[in-house]
Amino acid sequence: MSFADTPTMLIKNARIDGHPVDLRIDHTVQVMARHLEVAPNETVLDARGGELLPGLHDHHIHLFAAAAAHDSVDCNVGSGTLSQCRALLEARLKRATGNDWIRGVDYQEQQVGELDRWILDELCPTRPVRIQHRSGKVWVCNSLALRELGFKDTELIDGLERSSRGLLTGRIVRRDRLLAERLKHAKASRRPNITAYSRQLARYGIVGITDTSASNTTDTLADFQHLSDVGELLQHFSLMGSDELDSGYLKILLDEDRLPDLANLVGRINQARRKGRNVAFHCVTHLELVFALAALAEAAPCEAGFDRIEHGAVVNDEMAHRLADLGLPVITQPGFLFSKGDQYLADLTRTELGSLYRFAGLQRLGVCVVASSDAPYGLVNPWRVISSAATRRTRLGATVGEHEQITAEQALTGYLTPSVRLNQRSSFAQARKVKVGMPADLCVLQGEWSAQRGEAGELEVRATLIGGSVVFDRTQTG
Ligand SMILES: [Zn+2]
């Protein structure tokens, strides 16, 4: 294709591994050279000596929840006594904008105690409130919210916790789909602002996401497609989800307190296999991982592609060997070491800490490990996740599992690896590199990588391009 046919853009003064490079692109990378002259009518993006990388892919994120969290009440009130923390939470709920439903996220029992409807009624009696625990597993509703959602004390519904007197406590465990349906019915589901969140991802250099929500259905897939078609969602996307989907991973949530019936689970896996789907297990404890591998051993083998372990928060050497033998990658979240690390250090034994969110140790045993965000539950900023993987430093500056530290490059590699290659051991070889012919999904950093890798958490992106379109330009947004 000649330059006359398709408008092209020239990216000037970029650097790749210390070498200066200019790049001519349309929707793909056309030419790369040390120096290129500007063609007539060609737009120019001056990289100002910034490192040129392929755009980043977040392999584990929950888009709608993350966008909703973006405009929810932050219930993480920091340290203090129980009554101080509750007073802070009460003040934040009072300040919440609007006059209808309040959605809160990231409450922690270490701060405000275990919440239930009666405590929330005291903190906020005038508006329906629902607040999510930091784990994402539990929502707590106040009495007004329960009423609006049509949940009655007389009705027995799985996942709705009850007091010893048989009353609903307002705590709803792992019933996000049911909750979403009821919210829709109560006309309380404000659609989250995807545009703003997608732009935020672009600011970080993210050009693709894998939405790992177990509740995703064919309707969700249609929603994603629509958001993409109308330009609200800028990033490429792929979805995992429920049994109903015909493609993408079947996401299986395991919870060691309520493990599913093994035969039933094997049936679900086999049904997914018949559709050519692979499975991804949410595993945060040793028992959950043991159970996941037991289910895989009984199920029909996976004929194409590979299955995945999400989080892999606790993996001992024995399990690591098995994961390596099975070629199962671990999609981990080093960002939790920063955000929850101090709590882990206080709560866990030395042995437990040794198996926690491992990285280098698993790689040494042959497991493919990939860093991701798990936003909104984990840090979404990939540069801070990368920094967490390298330093393993907590918010208060302690270090968790020093021997599991990896280099910033190794952490970045996962973000540059296409989803279909996540199981391949030699991850450096699998990462995308900028080359002629690839889609122009690019990330230009402010400055060179080699100069900033030590402070990767502070790194800023100069510009992000998806399919040759500039979706973020720092010089335009200030
Ligand atoms: Zn997740």
Side-chain angles (χ1 to χ4, degrees), residues 84-363:
Q84 284 168 336
C85 286
R86 283 198 183 166
L88 256 174
L89 180 57
E90 184 176 9
R92 286 191 192 176
L93 293 172
K94 264 202 184 105
R95 279 204 307 273
T97 50
N99 51 17
D100 199 9
W101 275 81
I102 296 176
R103 183 185 195 278
V105 291
D106 203 16
Y107 102 72
Q108 300 168 34
E109 67 278 14
Q110 296 88 351
Q111 300 174 345
V112 294
E114 291 290 2
L115 296 180
D116 58 30
R117 69 191 278 189
W118 299 287
I119 295 166
L120 283 186
D121 286 349
E122 276 173 35
L123 299 180
C124 183
T126 52
R127 293 170 67 177
V129 180
R130 69 185 194 283
I131 286 181
Q132 191 182 39
H133 185 259
R134 75 179 322 186
S135 64
K137 281 191 211 174
V138 183
W139 282 95
V140 190
C141 293
N142 69 356
S143 298
L144 265 178
L146 286 175
R147 194 186 314 150
E148 296 231 355
L149 295 171
F151 291 130
K152 298 187 192 74
D153 286 311
T154 47
E155 203 180 355
L156 278 173
I157 301 176
D158 189 38
L160 264 64
E161 204 183 83
R162 277 161 194 283
S163 70
S164 51
R165 289 160 52 216
L167 299 174
L168 291 173
T169 63
R171 296 169 60 83
I172 303 175
V173 185
R174 287 234 190 269
R175 292 304 309 267
D176 284 5
R177 241 161 97 181
L178 173 71
L179 193 57
E181 279 161 24
R182 294 285 181 115
L183 284 164
K184 213 188 246 173
H185 215 70
K187 300 199 173 16
S189 55
R190 262 186 305 151
R191 202 156 140 262
N193 188 342
I194 299 295
T195 309
Y197 196 71
S198 178
R199 276 164 210 268
Q200 183 65 42
L201 295 178
R203 286 182 77 92
Y204 296 136
I206 294 175
V207 303
I209 56 170
T210 300
D211 191 291
T212 54
S213 311
S215 55
N216 287 340
T217 59
T218 46
D219 284 348
T220 327
L221 185 59
D223 285 346
F224 267 73
Q225 195 53 57
H226 172 74
L227 289 165
S228 175
D229 291 344
V230 299
E232 288 186 38
L233 175 62
L234 303 167
Q235 284 75 19
H236 302 290
F237 62 88
S238 59
L239 259 64
M240 294 185 175
S242 66
D243 305 75
E244 175 197 316
L245 285 171
D246 291 322
S247 62
Y249 281 78
L250 170 65
K251 173 75 179 288
I252 295 170
L253 288 176
L254 294 177
D255 191 341
E256 76 170 20
D257 296 335
R258 342 169 347 121
L259 287 173
D261 174 66
L262 186 64
N264 184 284
L265 177 59
V266 169
R268 289 177 62 199
I269 298 172
N270 288 342
Q271 196 198 8
R273 294 270 196 254
R274 284 194 285 276
K275 294 185 188 174
R277 300 177 69 194
N278 294 109
V279 291
F281 289 94
H282 163 107
C283 293
V284 294
T285 69
H286 173 70
L287 188 61
E288 288 164 11
L289 186 56
V290 169
F291 194 81
L293 297 193
L296 283 178
E298 295 243 340
C302 105
E303 299 199 338
F306 51 92
D307 301 320
R308 301 177 25 161
I309 301 297
E310 308 300 310
H311 314 300
V314 176
V315 182
N316 64 21
D317 280 2
E318 186 201 334
M319 296 310 282
H321 284 298
R322 295 184 57 193
L323 293 177
D325 288 345
L326 292 164
L328 285 171
V330 171
I331 317 304
T332 188
Q333 292 84 31
F336 287 135
L337 298 168
F338 173 80
S339 59
K340 301 185 184 177
D342 297 302
Q343 200 64 49
Y344 294 142
L345 287 171
D347 293 349
L348 302 181
T349 64
R350 261 184 82 138
T351 323
E352 287 169 324
L353 286 168
S355 306
L356 191 69
Y357 286 107
R358 296 176 67 188
F359 213 128
L362 296 185
Q363 284 189 329

